[in-house]
Amino acid sequence: MTTRCWMKTVLPIAILALGACHAARPEPLVPAGAAYQSRAQWGALAPTSALVEHTPDRITIHHTATPQAPDRPLADKMRALQRFSQGGGQLASGQPKVPWADVPYHFYIAVNGEIAEGRELRYVGDSNTPYDPTGHLLIVLEGNFEQEDPPAAQLAALRQLVQRAAERWHIAPERIGGHRDHASTRCPGERLYQEIPRLRTMVAPGSAGR
């Protein structure tokens, strides 16, 4: 085949393939204009060990179980969470903590509604409780919602994330829940857990995102 023929035959195919890849690239999960920090922006370290890939097929809500800290920068919170995650030590229960490769959650929502990227979505998260998080898109909200109420901005950010994630992966309403639905824990706290029925209704067919 001559060079001219090769170019006529192969280049159009390559251009079409490139266009198809571009068209297939998913829209960002966090809406444009939302207050958001990527891993690069908050200064994430690389995972310390290999991670397992998965495809999200449910959404599970957590809380940090620590008091809200509105004056602390989000990047500082995320770096502290990653240090805790990748280190050993002891849990509040007195049990030893096994080091994780990375932040256990896929998204962190601060008290002011700002969202941070945690573990990459294509990787399985982690938990200190005995349940398998494979397939779970993990969202954690800053606060102890046994004692505090989630602010309106924080709930609005949660609803946006859940709506878009449910649309992207065709997640049914009944597959949206809290950590306590999968393990013996109070997480995500009673005052946040009360939001779960609304999230399920919001993504139900014909709901129009209400």
Side-chain angles (χ1 to χ4, degrees):
M1 182 183 291
T2 66
T3 300
R4 183 182 292 271
C5 287
W6 181 88
M7 292 179 65
K8 285 183 177 180
T9 304
V10 176
L11 282 182
I13 295 174
I15 291 169
L16 284 172
L18 183 61
C21 289
H22 179 75
R25 186 177 300 157
E27 289 296 316
L29 203 60
V30 177
Y36 173 72
Q37 289 191 33
S38 67
R39 288 176 62 86
Q41 288 172 315
W42 61 259
L45 301 175
T48 56
S49 59
L51 296 169
V52 178
E53 293 197 7
H54 75 154
T55 299
D57 60 15
R58 63 170 65 245
I59 300 168
T60 302
I61 312 300
H62 293 248
H63 71 164
T64 61
T66 58
Q68 297 167 351
D71 296 328
R72 188 179 183 186
L74 177 57
D76 187 30
K77 296 173 187 176
M78 293 303 297
R79 288 191 293 268
L81 176 59
Q82 190 177 53
R83 285 194 300 271
F84 166 79
S85 302
Q86 294 179 331
Q90 196 174 59
L91 300 172
S93 64
Q95 297 297 313
K97 183 202 165 292
V98 177
W100 296 321
D102 201 357
V103 173
Y105 314 106
H106 299 106
F107 289 102
Y108 181 108
I109 304 179
V111 62
N112 63 356
E114 191 173 6
I115 300 168
E117 178 187 20
R119 186 171 300 203
E120 288 187 48
L121 284 165
R122 62 195 177 106
Y123 295 123
V124 180
D126 271 302
S127 173
N128 280 317
T129 54
Y131 84 99
D132 181 4
T134 302
H136 292 242
L137 189 158
L138 303 179
I139 302 173
V140 66
L141 277 70
E142 175 192 342
N144 182 343
F145 300 115
E146 287 290 291
Q147 302 172 2
E148 301 172 295
D149 292 316
Q154 201 174 31
L155 288 178
L158 173 64
R159 291 166 190 157
Q160 281 188 316
L161 270 182
V162 168
Q163 181 78 43
R164 293 172 77 93
E167 290 173 354
R168 176 172 299 179
W169 287 288
H170 308 291
I171 296 172
E174 63 271 17
R175 295 181 71 82
I176 298 170
H179 184 183
R180 68 168 68 177
D181 294 320
H182 308 286
S184 179
T185 175
R186 296 295 298 167
C187 182
E190 185 59 34
R191 300 185 191 185
L192 178 56
Y193 190 72
Q194 293 173 5
E195 176 73 8
I196 301 296
R198 173 169 179 164
L199 295 175
R200 291 172 175 163
T201 299
M202 182 183 70
V203 304
S207 68
R210 66 173 179 271

